[in-house]
Structure formats: C-alpha cells, structure tokens
Amino acid sequence: MAQYLLKLYITGQTSRSQQAIHNLYRTCQEVLDGRYELTIIDVLEHPELAETDKILATPTLIKTAPLPLRRIIGDLSDTAKVLRGLDLQISHTNHFPKGLPYNE
C-alpha cells in the first residue's frame, strides 16, 4: 500500500484552519490507517514555502505522493471531495458512521 505525503497550508490559528486540521486528521485516521505523513505549514510563519508551492488560498491540502499531485482547497469538511482528491475509492459508508459529514 502506498504511503501518502500530504502538506496542509493554513493561515494562523483561525477557526477555519483548526477545522481543516481536525477534518483532515479524522479522514486520514479513518481511511489511511497510518499510511500517511502530514506536514502542516502556517503561511504566516513560512511564506517562502507557500510561494514555492504557489498557494493562493488557505486552507490548501497538497498530496505529493503517490502521484499525481493533487490540491484541495477549503476546510476539508466535504469528506467525499477529500477522498476523491486523495485518489481514494472506498466504500464511504464502511469508514464513516452515521452522523459524520458526508456531502455527496
């Protein structure tokens, strides 16, 4: 199984940033089962990294591995969109019990 390399760009400690972090950790723990490495980058502290990755909005999630590279912009609350962005095709109902957001 492939190891996922993810970078999440956020802007400070805003509620939107915190929500994106929470949503991403939840999705990764449920679906990737430890097969991921996540780096959280605050653009206020590391603007040079944001410029290198051409970040125009935050939060932005970048999947660098496995290829192809993918970008997802937003608070990552749309689990189906995040799974598509990570190129994961799973039975969503097997991983997310009722009550958790699912917007497809």
Side-chain angles (χ1 to χ4, degrees), residues 59-72:
T60 294
L61 174 65
I62 300 177
K63 176 183 71 92
T64 58
L67 293 174
L69 185 142
R70 299 278 192 219
R71 291 172 180 258
I72 305 169

Side-chain angles (χ1 to χ4, degrees), residues 63-101:
K63 176 183 71 92
T64 58
L67 293 174
L69 185 142
R70 299 278 192 219
R71 291 172 180 258
I72 305 169
I73 297 172
D75 67 5
L76 309 175
S77 61
D78 185 340
T79 305
K81 180 179 173 184
V82 173
L83 294 176
R84 281 192 305 272
L86 295 176
D87 295 323
L88 291 169
Q89 297 179 8
I90 61 169
S91 173
H92 190 72
T93 56
N94 290 339
H95 291 276
F96 294 94
K98 285 184 175 180
L100 293 176

Side-chain angles (χ1 to χ4, degrees), residues 9-104:
Y9 282 91
I10 60 169
T11 303
Q13 297 298 315
T14 65
S15 61
R16 189 166 167 85
S17 295
Q18 295 305 309
Q19 189 64 46
I21 292 168
H22 171 79
N23 290 335
L24 183 57
Y25 271 124
R26 180 180 51 85
T27 301
C28 287
Q29 288 172 356
E30 291 286 333
V31 178
L32 295 177
D33 193 29
R35 295 178 296 118
Y36 67 96
E37 181 178 317
L38 173 61
T39 303
I40 298 174
I41 303 165
D42 187 336
V43 298
L44 298 176
E45 295 177 11
H46 301 285
E48 73 284 357
L49 296 176
E51 185 173 328
T52 298
D53 278 335
K54 299 179 177 27
I55 301 300
L56 300 175
T58 60
T60 294
L61 174 65
I62 300 177
K63 176 183 71 92
T64 58
L67 293 174
L69 185 142
R70 299 278 192 219
R71 291 172 180 258
I72 305 169
I73 297 172
D75 67 5
L76 309 175
S77 61
D78 185 340
T79 305
K81 180 179 173 184
V82 173
L83 294 176
R84 281 192 305 272
L86 295 176
D87 295 323
L88 291 169
Q89 297 179 8
I90 61 169
S91 173
H92 190 72
T93 56
N94 290 339
H95 291 276
F96 294 94
K98 285 184 175 180
L100 293 176
Y102 178 62
N103 301 320
E104 184 164 75

